[in-house]
Amino acid sequence: MAPVLLQAEPGPIALELGRTALIIIDMQRDFVDPGGLGETLGNDVARLAPAIGPCKRMLAAARGI
């Protein structure tokens, strides 16, 4: 299978889908949710909310839905 080119910043990434895993670790609760670990550590979690949409799209693409 030929690599797939994923448009990303700072530059595109070539992925071999048969050898690639997507790992998203509890972003909403720990890192983005008010009252979560990130906020408890003093982080401004509101600045991370824009990451939720792209993560959802990546997860949907990885699942093939």
Side-chain angles (χ1 to χ4, degrees), residues 26-46 48:
D26 200 15
M27 284 189 51
Q28 285 74 20
R29 178 142 335 249
D30 281 343
F31 298 108
V32 182
D33 215 23
L37 177 63
E39 186 176 65
T40 302
L41 295 173
N43 299 320
D44 179 6
V45 296
L48 300 174

mmCIF file of all heavy atoms in Angstrom, residues 26-46 48:
data_model
loop_
_atom_site.group_PDB
_atom_site.id
_atom_site.type_symbol
_atom_site.label_atom_id
_atom_site.label_comp_id
_atom_site.label_asym_id
_atom_site.label_seq_id
_atom_site.Cartn_x
_atom_site.Cartn_y
_atom_site.Cartn_z
ATOM 1 N N ASP A 26 -7.461 10.968 26.321
ATOM 2 C CA ASP A 26 -8.376 11.668 27.225
ATOM 3 C C ASP A 26 -8.266 13.196 27.170
ATOM 4 O O ASP A 26 -8.197 13.857 28.189
ATOM 5 C CB ASP A 26 -8.137 11.165 28.649
ATOM 6 C CG ASP A 26 -9.322 11.447 29.564
ATOM 7 O OD1 ASP A 26 -10.410 11.758 29.048
ATOM 8 O OD2 ASP A 26 -9.155 11.365 30.784
ATOM 9 N N MET A 27 -8.230 13.755 25.984
ATOM 10 C CA MET A 27 -8.053 15.208 25.852
ATOM 11 C C MET A 27 -9.157 16.004 26.522
ATOM 12 O O MET A 27 -8.892 16.990 27.184
ATOM 13 C CB MET A 27 -7.993 15.596 24.384
ATOM 14 C CG MET A 27 -6.694 15.264 23.740
ATOM 15 S SD MET A 27 -6.590 15.979 22.116
ATOM 16 C CE MET A 27 -7.020 17.667 22.405
ATOM 17 N N GLN A 28 -10.390 15.662 26.289
ATOM 18 C CA GLN A 28 -11.469 16.486 26.799
ATOM 19 C C GLN A 28 -11.447 16.608 28.317
ATOM 20 O O GLN A 28 -11.619 17.684 28.864
ATOM 21 C CB GLN A 28 -12.829 15.947 26.343
ATOM 22 C CG GLN A 28 -13.117 16.247 24.892
ATOM 23 C CD GLN A 28 -12.324 15.395 23.914
ATOM 24 O OE1 GLN A 28 -11.818 14.324 24.259
ATOM 25 N NE2 GLN A 28 -12.202 15.849 22.689
ATOM 26 N N ARG A 29 -11.211 15.528 28.995
ATOM 27 C CA ARG A 29 -11.257 15.573 30.450
ATOM 28 C C ARG A 29 -9.981 16.166 31.056
ATOM 29 O O ARG A 29 -10.037 17.122 31.809
ATOM 30 C CB ARG A 29 -11.481 14.169 31.020
ATOM 31 C CG ARG A 29 -11.484 14.178 32.515
ATOM 32 C CD ARG A 29 -12.456 13.273 33.179
ATOM 33 N NE ARG A 29 -13.615 12.926 32.432
ATOM 34 C CZ ARG A 29 -14.843 13.344 32.729
ATOM 35 N NH1 ARG A 29 -15.037 14.144 33.726
ATOM 36 N NH2 ARG A 29 -15.865 12.947 32.030
ATOM 37 N N ASP A 30 -8.854 15.633 30.735
ATOM 38 C CA ASP A 30 -7.622 16.037 31.413
ATOM 39 C C ASP A 30 -7.021 17.345 30.911
ATOM 40 O O ASP A 30 -6.504 18.122 31.694
ATOM 41 C CB ASP A 30 -6.554 14.951 31.295
ATOM 42 C CG ASP A 30 -6.795 13.822 32.274
ATOM 43 O OD1 ASP A 30 -7.565 14.009 33.229
ATOM 44 O OD2 ASP A 30 -6.216 12.748 32.078
ATOM 45 N N PHE A 31 -7.072 17.590 29.617
ATOM 46 C CA PHE A 31 -6.340 18.726 29.083
ATOM 47 C C PHE A 31 -7.203 19.906 28.690
ATOM 48 O O PHE A 31 -6.727 21.031 28.665
ATOM 49 C CB PHE A 31 -5.507 18.289 27.868
ATOM 50 C CG PHE A 31 -4.488 17.258 28.217
ATOM 51 C CD1 PHE A 31 -4.643 15.951 27.817
ATOM 52 C CD2 PHE A 31 -3.387 17.596 28.981
ATOM 53 C CE1 PHE A 31 -3.705 14.988 28.159
ATOM 54 C CE2 PHE A 31 -2.448 16.638 29.328
ATOM 55 C CZ PHE A 31 -2.615 15.333 28.918
ATOM 56 N N VAL A 32 -8.475 19.681 28.346
ATOM 57 C CA VAL A 32 -9.306 20.752 27.818
ATOM 58 C C VAL A 32 -10.463 21.107 28.741
ATOM 59 O O VAL A 32 -10.909 22.242 28.779
ATOM 60 C CB VAL A 32 -9.841 20.359 26.420
ATOM 61 C CG1 VAL A 32 -10.672 21.466 25.818
ATOM 62 C CG2 VAL A 32 -8.678 20.053 25.485
ATOM 63 N N ASP A 33 -10.949 20.173 29.507
ATOM 64 C CA ASP A 33 -12.129 20.387 30.349
ATOM 65 C C ASP A 33 -11.816 21.277 31.549
ATOM 66 O O ASP A 33 -10.850 21.025 32.271
ATOM 67 C CB ASP A 33 -12.618 19.034 30.865
ATOM 68 C CG ASP A 33 -14.108 18.934 30.993
ATOM 69 O OD1 ASP A 33 -14.800 19.705 30.309
ATOM 70 O OD2 ASP A 33 -14.576 18.073 31.755
ATOM 71 N N PRO A 34 -12.612 22.343 31.752
ATOM 72 C CA PRO A 34 -12.431 23.120 32.984
ATOM 73 C C PRO A 34 -12.585 22.191 34.191
ATOM 74 O O PRO A 34 -13.489 21.357 34.226
ATOM 75 C CB PRO A 34 -13.560 24.149 32.921
ATOM 76 C CG PRO A 34 -13.853 24.295 31.467
ATOM 77 C CD PRO A 34 -13.639 22.912 30.894
ATOM 78 N N GLY A 35 -11.695 22.313 35.138
ATOM 79 C CA GLY A 35 -11.706 21.451 36.309
ATOM 80 C C GLY A 35 -10.874 20.190 36.138
ATOM 81 O O GLY A 35 -10.709 19.428 37.073
ATOM 82 N N GLY A 36 -10.360 19.962 34.934
ATOM 83 C CA GLY A 36 -9.535 18.790 34.681
ATOM 84 C C GLY A 36 -8.108 19.008 35.160
ATOM 85 O O GLY A 36 -7.765 20.044 35.739
ATOM 86 N N LEU A 37 -7.273 18.033 34.914
ATOM 87 C CA LEU A 37 -5.892 18.075 35.377
ATOM 88 C C LEU A 37 -5.146 19.299 34.844
ATOM 89 O O LEU A 37 -4.425 19.962 35.582
ATOM 90 C CB LEU A 37 -5.154 16.802 34.972
ATOM 91 C CG LEU A 37 -3.667 16.742 35.340
ATOM 92 C CD1 LEU A 37 -3.499 16.774 36.855
ATOM 93 C CD2 LEU A 37 -3.007 15.523 34.749
ATOM 94 N N GLY A 38 -5.317 19.613 33.552
ATOM 95 C CA GLY A 38 -4.616 20.756 32.978
ATOM 96 C C GLY A 38 -4.914 22.049 33.707
ATOM 97 O O GLY A 38 -4.005 22.826 34.027
ATOM 98 N N GLU A 39 -6.175 22.301 33.985
ATOM 99 C CA GLU A 39 -6.543 23.523 34.706
ATOM 100 C C GLU A 39 -6.047 23.472 36.143
ATOM 101 O O GLU A 39 -5.568 24.477 36.684
ATOM 102 C CB GLU A 39 -8.052 23.739 34.669
ATOM 103 C CG GLU A 39 -8.469 25.072 35.268
ATOM 104 C CD GLU A 39 -9.947 25.307 35.145
ATOM 105 O OE1 GLU A 39 -10.721 24.552 35.772
ATOM 106 O OE2 GLU A 39 -10.323 26.244 34.434
ATOM 107 N N THR A 40 -6.116 22.304 36.759
ATOM 108 C CA THR A 40 -5.621 22.142 38.126
ATOM 109 C C THR A 40 -4.137 22.487 38.221
ATOM 110 O O THR A 40 -3.684 23.032 39.224
ATOM 111 C CB THR A 40 -5.853 20.687 38.604
ATOM 112 O OG1 THR A 40 -7.243 20.396 38.528
ATOM 113 C CG2 THR A 40 -5.384 20.482 40.024
ATOM 114 N N LEU A 41 -3.386 22.221 37.151
ATOM 115 C CA LEU A 41 -1.963 22.536 37.118
ATOM 116 C C LEU A 41 -1.687 24.002 36.783
ATOM 117 O O LEU A 41 -0.546 24.421 36.719
ATOM 118 C CB LEU A 41 -1.251 21.641 36.098
ATOM 119 C CG LEU A 41 -1.239 20.153 36.423
ATOM 120 C CD1 LEU A 41 -0.656 19.357 35.264
ATOM 121 C CD2 LEU A 41 -0.482 19.879 37.704
ATOM 122 N N GLY A 42 -2.757 24.776 36.559
ATOM 123 C CA GLY A 42 -2.596 26.198 36.296
ATOM 124 C C GLY A 42 -2.605 26.579 34.822
ATOM 125 O O GLY A 42 -2.318 27.725 34.483
ATOM 126 N N ASN A 43 -2.947 25.649 33.938
ATOM 127 C CA ASN A 43 -2.979 25.940 32.502
ATOM 128 C C ASN A 43 -4.286 26.608 32.101
ATOM 129 O O ASN A 43 -5.336 26.329 32.686
ATOM 130 C CB ASN A 43 -2.814 24.656 31.691
ATOM 131 C CG ASN A 43 -1.498 23.979 31.953
ATOM 132 O OD1 ASN A 43 -0.472 24.639 32.086
ATOM 133 N ND2 ASN A 43 -1.510 22.662 32.032
ATOM 134 N N ASP A 44 -4.233 27.478 31.101
ATOM 135 C CA ASP A 44 -5.427 28.089 30.527
ATOM 136 C C ASP A 44 -5.999 27.114 29.510
ATOM 137 O O ASP A 44 -5.615 27.113 28.346
ATOM 138 C CB ASP A 44 -5.069 29.420 29.871
ATOM 139 C CG ASP A 44 -6.270 30.101 29.232
ATOM 140 O OD1 ASP A 44 -7.407 29.606 29.391
ATOM 141 O OD2 ASP A 44 -6.060 31.141 28.577
ATOM 142 N N VAL A 45 -6.916 26.260 29.949
ATOM 143 C CA VAL A 45 -7.433 25.189 29.095
ATOM 144 C C VAL A 45 -8.304 25.705 27.956
ATOM 145 O O VAL A 45 -8.484 25.016 26.951
ATOM 146 C CB VAL A 45 -8.190 24.123 29.922
ATOM 147 C CG1 VAL A 45 -7.246 23.425 30.878
ATOM 148 C CG2 VAL A 45 -9.372 24.718 30.656
ATOM 149 N N ALA A 46 -8.823 26.920 28.055
ATOM 150 C CA ALA A 46 -9.654 27.474 26.987
ATOM 151 C C ALA A 46 -8.855 27.605 25.688
ATOM 152 O O ALA A 46 -9.427 27.510 24.596
ATOM 153 C CB ALA A 46 -10.215 28.827 27.408
ATOM 154 N N LEU A 48 -6.895 25.496 24.442
ATOM 155 C CA LEU A 48 -6.729 24.190 23.798
ATOM 156 C C LEU A 48 -7.994 23.690 23.122
ATOM 157 O O LEU A 48 -7.944 22.741 22.345
ATOM 158 C CB LEU A 48 -6.260 23.160 24.829
ATOM 159 C CG LEU A 48 -4.925 23.490 25.496
ATOM 160 C CD1 LEU A 48 -4.630 22.497 26.595
ATOM 161 C CD2 LEU A 48 -3.812 23.503 24.473
#
